[in-house]
């Protein structure tokens, strides 16, 4: 895989460094970076490598080769020490990107096949949304319709980072592991925002499950009437 990144920072004795807590008046970007630095050592034992605010773990072989991605995305809204961020989750299968690139007008994707890119993940979700779907009794549960993590001048940033780390380990990573399969993607029957029709068809084709691919095409006939042959005769 072409992905590479440094592991968690360590001191001269090999111990992982504890990131410095930003001052209350620090800019929002510094606070998000602090959360990323806290998240890195927690995800590292699970095979995730950090690059800036993104963490990637590789897995699978052949057509099942994939990247599991955790990404901190700053909200556009920010004002000095106040701001917010999302924790994006994605599973990206390079071979699926190659398959989808066969569709008319999609050949530009061939330039991105071997590049880790959360936006190209075939299955995507936000950690905050997963938490909002938990039962109220769950320690990681959040309010409904609360995808983002907000902070301000008086926010206990260490506690916020603790909560993000715990949710990533107990909710986010297990979700990524469950989605890291072409079979799961081909059989996906949820929101189109979670897994696109293109990716579901391509997954079925790679699995040799033409029946499933045909069924999805039948359900989305109008959208794919010009490209059925591209998918199923490849």
């Amino acid at each position: 895989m072409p992905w590479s990144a440094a592991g968690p920072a360590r001191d001269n004795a090999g111990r992982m460094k504890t990131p410095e807590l930003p001052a209350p008046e620090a800019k929002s970007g510094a606070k998000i970076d602090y959360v990323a630095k806290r998240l890195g050592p927690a995800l590292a034992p699970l095979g995730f490598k950090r690059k800036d605010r993104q963490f990637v773990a590789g897995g699978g072989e052949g057509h099942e080769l994939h990247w599991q991605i955790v990404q901190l995305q700053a909200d556009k809204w920010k004002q000095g020490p106040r701001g917010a961020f999302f924790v994006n989750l994605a599973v990206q299968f390079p071979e699926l990107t190659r398959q989808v690139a066969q569709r008319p007008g999609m050949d530009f994707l061939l330039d991105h096949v071997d590049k880790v890119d959360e936006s190209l993940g075939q299955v995507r979700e936000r950690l905050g949304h997963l938490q909002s779907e938990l039962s109220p009794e769950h320690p990681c549960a959040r309010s409904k319709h609360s995808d983002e993590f907000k902070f301000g001048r008086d926010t206990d940033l260490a506690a916020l980072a603790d909560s993000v780390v715990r949710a990533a380990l107990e909710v986010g990573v297990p979700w990524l592991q469950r989605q890291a399969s072409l079979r799961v993607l081909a059989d996906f029957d949820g929101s189109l925002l979670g897994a696109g029709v293109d990716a579901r068809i391509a997954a079925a084709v790679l699995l040799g499950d033409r029946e499933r691919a045909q069924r999805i095409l039948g359900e989305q006939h109008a959208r794919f009437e010009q490209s059925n042959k591209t998918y199923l005769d490849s």
Side-chain angles (χ1 to χ4, degrees), residues 3-20:
W3 171 263
S4 63
R10 297 177 181 272
D11 60 22
N12 293 333
R15 297 183 296 264
M16 285 188 290
K17 295 180 179 180
T18 301
E20 182 178 354

Side-chain angles (χ1 to χ4, degrees), residues 160-195:
L160 175 61
D162 285 342
S163 68
V164 171
V165 168
R166 180 172 185 176
L169 294 177
E170 296 186 15
V171 181
V173 171
W175 181 88
L176 287 169
Q177 293 171 341
R178 290 193 300 271
Q179 311 308 316
S181 162
L182 291 179
R183 182 76 268 167
V184 171
L185 180 56
D187 292 341
F188 185 87
D189 196 29
S191 167
L192 297 183
L193 297 177

Side-chain angles (χ1 to χ4, degrees), residues 138-172:
H138 195 288
C140 295
R142 302 187 75 205
S143 302
K144 294 289 184 181
H145 311 299
S146 179
D147 288 357
E148 61 184 354
F149 297 85
K150 296 181 179 180
F151 55 84
R153 185 178 289 102
D154 300 324
T155 298
D156 184 340
L157 203 59
L160 175 61
D162 285 342
S163 68
V164 171
V165 168
R166 180 172 185 176
L169 294 177
E170 296 186 15
V171 181

Side-chain angles (χ1 to χ4, degrees), residues 17-137:
K17 295 180 179 180
T18 301
E20 182 178 354
L21 187 67
E25 296 298 327
K27 292 185 177 180
S28 61
K31 295 181 177 181
I32 297 173
D33 288 338
Y34 167 78
V35 177
K37 292 175 183 177
R38 288 283 309 279
L39 194 54
L43 292 175
L46 301 176
F48 286 84
K49 295 184 178 181
R50 177 187 171 214
K51 186 174 183 180
D52 300 322
R53 297 175 182 173
Q54 182 163 277
F55 309 84
V56 180
E61 297 179 347
H63 293 334
E64 296 276 359
L65 186 74
H66 66 270
W67 295 298
Q68 297 178 29
I69 305 169
V70 179
Q71 179 196 76
L72 271 63
Q73 175 192 349
D75 193 342
K76 294 181 180 179
W77 174 85
K78 57 184 177 181
Q79 185 176 7
R82 301 170 59 195
F85 62 91
F86 301 94
V87 180
N88 299 326
L89 306 171
V91 180
Q92 181 184 356
F93 293 87
E95 189 57 32
L96 287 185
T97 303
R98 197 186 314 276
Q99 289 288 318
V100 174
Q102 295 180 26
R103 285 193 64 206
M106 301 295 285
D107 57 331
F108 69 92
L109 287 174
L110 292 173
D111 294 332
H112 303 274
V113 169
D114 296 320
K115 299 177 182 178
V116 176
D117 187 340
E118 182 273 336
S119 68
L120 291 180
Q122 286 79 20
V123 189
R124 303 171 66 197
E125 185 56 275
R126 278 181 166 159
L127 180 61
H129 179 258
L130 292 177
Q131 290 179 259
S132 72
E133 296 296 311
L134 296 171
S135 65
E137 296 76 20

